[in-house]
Amino acid sequence: MDKSQEIFEKACRLMPGGVSSPVRAFRAVGMTPRFIERAKGSHIYDVDGHDYIDYIGSWGPMILGHAHPEVVEAVCRAVYRGTSYGAPTEGEVTLCEMIIDAVPSVEMVRLVNSGTEAVMSAIRAARGYTGRDYIVKFEGCYHGHSDGLLVKAGSGLMTQNVPDSAGVPEAYASKTLTAVYNDLDSVRALFEACGNQIAALIVEPVAANMGVVLPRPGFLEGLRKITEDYGSLLIFDEVITGFRLGYSGAQGYYNVLPDMTTMGKIIGGGMPLAAYGGRKDIMEMVAPSGPVYQAGTLSGNPTAVAAGIKTLEILKDHLEIYARAESQAAKLEKAFTENIEKYKVDAVCNRIGSLMSIFFTKQPVIDYPSAASSNLKKFKEYFAAMLAEGIYIAPSQFEALFVSGVHSDEDIRRTELAIGKALGQWQR
C-alpha cells in the first residue's frame, strides 16, 4: 500500500483527516484508506494496482455498476453541451416527471445536490406548511449533517437533546425530538406530550445508517396513523432505499405512503444529485411558488441530470436488475448465516433486497441499542480479513453492504469463500 500511504500522508496535511468525508478515513478499522484510481462494473482498483470486488458502490448509487456504458455516454454528451448553465433545462423536467411517475406519494419535486440538502429543505417546507417547529427523528437514523438532525436522545423521551456535533447550538438541537426505531410506544409518548407542536416525523423506512435494520411489521403503518392523528407530516428519507428496494422505493415495497420523500444516490447515477418531493399542496409552499425559501446554483445540473435520467431509464426498462441483485444478495446472506453457525460466531445478518449488514452481536438487531451492542474489535478483524481477500466493504460496523445488478456469479463465489475465511478466523 505504498502509494496509498504516501498520498494519505500528504492528504492529512491538506484536508481534515485526509478525506472529504469522515468514514473514508478508515479510522474505525485502524487502517490506511485505499486511494481509488478507477472502477468498472462490480470492481474497483486502487493506486497500488489492487483489484477489489466492490460492495460499497459509492455508498449506494451504483446499482448498475461503475462506469455503465450508457450512463457514461449520456454524461459525455451532456458535458460537451456545457457543464452548468444556472438556467432551467428540459432534462430537469424529464427527470422530475420520471420521479413523480415512479414514487407513489410524490406529486411535485425539487432537485438539489445532496441528501443532506434534500432533507434540510424538506424539513423547512414541513415547518412552513404546518407552522410548527418540532421534528421527530429516530436514534440511529442518519439524515445528513444539517444542524437540526445532528442530535442524540437525552435520558428520557422528553429530555432536551444535546448536540451530537460541535458547532450545533443547543437551542436549535432542542427542536429535534428523538424516538426509538421500531418502538411505536416511544413515538406515541412524544406526540401525546407535544403533538400539536410537531411539524414532521422523519424516518428511514429501512434504517441503513446503523447497519441495515428492517422495520417491524406494522411500524411504518403505525407512524402513518400517528402523524395523521396529530396533523403532522410523515417524511420518508429514501436517499438510500429510493430506486434500490424497487423502482418505487420503500414506500412502494411496503405500500405505506408518506407526505414527503427525500431521494438521492441512485437518482443521480453516481453524480451529485438529490431531490425532495411530496404532496402538491406542501411543495407549493417552496419559493418561488410560496414563502419557504430554498435555492441552489448547481441544482438540476445538466450533467448530473443526464446521468440520472439514463440510470432510471435502464432500471425502468429492465426491472429484472432488481431480481438479479436480490438473488445475488441472498446468496451472500446464506454464506453469512451458514458460516456464523459453522464457526459459532456471535453474529447476525440482516438483509432486505440488495441491502445487508452483518453485526457481531448475539441478539437480534432491531434498533440502535441492539446495533450498538456489536463487538467492534471483531468487526475490525473481519474487515481486515475481507479486504485481504480483495473484498471492498464499508470500513464501519454501522454501514450497509450494497449488491449491484452486475455482481457476477464469480464475484459471489469469491465473496462466499472470503466470508468463510473471515468468520473462520475465530474458530473455537
Side-chain angles (χ1 to χ4, degrees):
M1 302 309 306
D2 292 348
K3 196 167 183 182
S4 279
Q5 182 65 43
E6 179 186 345
I7 297 172
F8 187 51
E9 289 173 1
K10 180 178 181 180
C12 286
R13 298 193 297 269
L14 303 171
M15 306 157 68
V19 291
S20 295
S21 189
V23 75
R24 300 178 193 175
F26 276 43
R27 286 193 177 184
V29 292
M31 299 175 72
T32 296
R34 276 43 178 169
F35 279 71
I36 304 305
E37 186 174 67
R38 61 188 177 90
K40 179 66 176 175
S42 60
H43 287 237
I44 199 162
Y45 305 85
D46 69 23
V47 293
D48 289 284
H50 299 107
D51 172 359
Y52 305 95
I53 301 171
D54 180 26
Y55 290 104
I56 296 180
S58 191
W59 305 95
M62 313 315 298
I63 193 168
L64 301 180
H66 294 282
H68 188 287
E70 292 180 56
V71 177
V72 170
E73 183 183 358
V75 169
C76 289
R77 286 200 306 266
V79 167
Y80 279 114
R81 293 193 297 267
T83 55
S84 182
Y85 312 136
T89 68
E90 186 177 5
E92 294 174 83
V93 178
T94 299
L95 181 58
C96 289
E97 184 177 36
M98 295 177 78
I99 292 170
I100 291 167
D101 287 345
V103 184
S105 68
V106 175
E107 297 175 340
M108 189 171 281
V109 68
R110 169 64 64 84
L111 300 181
V112 292
N113 299 293
S114 69
T116 291
E117 190 181 345
V119 170
M120 176 183 71
S121 303
I123 286 175
R124 185 180 300 157
R127 284 177 165 144
Y129 179 81
T130 61
R132 302 174 180 181
D133 291 339
Y134 282 87
I135 298 294
V136 175
K137 72 175 289 287
F138 291 91
E139 186 179 12
C141 284
Y142 177 71
H143 304 290
H145 60 266
S146 59
D147 284 359
L149 295 171
L150 288 178
V151 297
K152 55 189 176 183
S155 58
L157 285 173
M158 290 305 298
T159 301
Q160 183 176 8
N161 281 327
V162 297
D164 205 26
S165 168
V168 177
E170 288 191 22
Y172 194 12
S174 69
K175 299 300 182 183
T176 304
L177 309 174
T178 310
V180 179
Y181 191 80
N182 271 328
D183 183 349
L184 287 174
D185 287 341
S186 72
V187 179
R188 291 190 187 97
L190 288 174
F191 277 85
E192 287 169 4
C194 55
N196 63 350
Q197 300 176 66
I198 296 173
L201 179 151
I202 185 167
V203 65
E204 292 179 87
V206 174
N209 286 286
M210 50 178 151
V212 175
V213 179
L214 281 60
R216 284 176 159 176
F219 177 63
L220 298 178
E221 292 85 350
L223 298 181
R224 178 67 284 177
K225 178 68 165 58
I226 292 169
T227 50
E228 285 179 347
D229 288 347
Y230 285 88
S232 302
L233 301 185
L234 177 61
I235 304 174
F236 273 8
D237 182 344
E238 295 225 44
V239 168
I240 287 177
T241 57
F243 296 94
R244 163 65 63 175
L245 293 186
Y247 195 67
S248 57
Q251 57 196 263
Y253 188 97
Y254 288 106
N255 195 30
V256 177
L257 303 188
D259 300 296
M260 299 189 75
T261 303
T262 62
M263 295 156 280
K265 299 189 184 291
I266 287 175
I267 69 164
M271 299 289 284
L273 192 147
Y276 66 102
R279 292 187 346 229
K280 187 176 182 181
D281 59 328
I282 301 169
M283 292 302 295
E284 285 184 332
M285 292 292 293
V286 178
S289 297
V292 176
Y293 194 75
Q294 178 267 311
T297 298
L298 295 175
S299 294
N301 175 270
T303 306
V305 163
I309 290 171
K310 180 52 65 175
T311 297
L312 297 194
E313 283 178 350
I314 293 169
L315 289 172
K316 184 177 181 180
D317 292 342
H318 298 280
L319 295 177
E320 67 274 10
I321 290 170
Y322 292 109
R324 166 74 175 177
E326 178 164 7
S327 173
Q328 300 295 63
K331 294 176 186 176
L332 296 185
E333 179 187 27
K334 185 171 183 283
F336 278 121
T337 55
E338 287 181 348
N339 282 286
I340 287 169
E341 183 177 349
K342 178 179 178 180
Y343 296 114
K344 297 179 172 54
V345 181
D346 291 335
V348 295
C349 181
N350 285 359
R351 181 185 70 83
I352 181 168
S354 58
L355 285 168
M356 68 171 63
S357 290
I358 182 173
F359 299 89
F360 289 95
T361 180
K362 295 180 181 179
Q363 60 183 298
V365 176
I366 59 168
D367 52 22
Y368 182 73
S370 52
S373 72
S374 297
N375 185 324
L376 300 186
K377 179 177 181 294
K378 268 214 165 85
F379 178 83
K380 287 172 65 174
E381 294 167 352
Y382 154 78
F383 176 85
M386 293 290 279
L387 195 64
E389 294 298 318
I391 311 299
Y392 193 72
I393 58 174
S396 167
Q397 170 66 85
F398 306 112
E399 298 286 354
L401 185 154
F402 296 93
V403 181
S404 77
V406 298
H407 277 96
S408 68
D409 291 341
E410 176 60 17
D411 291 334
I412 300 301
R413 187 191 69 79
R414 280 182 52 194
T415 308
E416 289 169 339
L417 292 173
I419 290 168
K421 286 186 179 181
L423 298 186
Q425 66 182 301
W426 306 295
Q427 187 171 9
R428 296 170 185 170

